[in-house]
Amino acid sequence: MVSEEILRTHLQELRRGTVVVASLVALRHPDYGYALLQRLAAHGFPVDANTLYPLLRRLEEQGLLTSEWNTEESRPRKFYRTSEEGDAVLRRLLDDLAAVQTSVAGLIEGMDR
């Protein structure tokens, strides 16, 4: 039987790239960091805040997200949104993800024969 540590490591590696895709999808509608954490977790992407906030900053630096501060509430919040460039990158990532899924399904089907 596979140890929990080995499984956890591989699951973490698998999810590392998909959290970028999930964030770009979720942020097609503007949201702030904590709400994004909750939304991702609710859809099966539990992410630690210490992972998400640096990711958001990196995606913003790459031009894949835009941000603006909402100071109308009692506590200012930074809202993020997928940029046009981010949406173009997202479409390419989703195409590649679909191709990977198709390839894996083909391998699985081939093994069943």
Side-chain angles (χ1 to χ4, degrees), residues 25-61:
V25 168
L27 290 173
R28 285 178 165 174
H29 303 284
D31 220 340
Y32 59 98
Y34 183 72
L36 178 61
L37 278 171
Q38 292 178 319
R39 187 157 30 140
L40 291 175
H43 286 88
F45 291 92
V47 181
D48 186 77
N50 292 329
T51 299
L52 184 66
Y53 289 107
L55 172 67
L56 292 174
R57 285 191 295 274
R58 181 171 54 89
L59 293 175
E60 185 177 17
E61 288 171 7

Side-chain angles (χ1 to χ4, degrees), residues 1-88:
M1 182 160 172
V2 176
S3 77
E4 286 298 314
E5 183 178 339
I6 290 172
L7 180 58
R8 186 172 37 254
T9 299
H10 288 291
L11 288 172
Q12 183 180 28
E13 288 177 14
L14 180 64
R15 289 182 176 267
R16 187 170 286 134
T18 57
V19 76
V20 170
V21 172
S23 295
L24 290 172
V25 168
L27 290 173
R28 285 178 165 174
H29 303 284
D31 220 340
Y32 59 98
Y34 183 72
L36 178 61
L37 278 171
Q38 292 178 319
R39 187 157 30 140
L40 291 175
H43 286 88
F45 291 92
V47 181
D48 186 77
N50 292 329
T51 299
L52 184 66
Y53 289 107
L55 172 67
L56 292 174
R57 285 191 295 274
R58 181 171 54 89
L59 293 175
E60 185 177 17
E61 288 171 7
Q62 293 172 345
L64 304 182
L65 295 178
T66 59
S67 69
E68 60 183 56
W69 284 95
N70 179 346
T71 57
E72 296 174 6
E73 298 179 21
S74 61
R75 193 173 105 196
R77 293 183 177 165
K78 189 173 186 179
F79 279 74
Y80 295 91
R81 181 183 188 103
T82 303
S83 68
E84 285 185 30
E85 187 174 348
D87 199 48

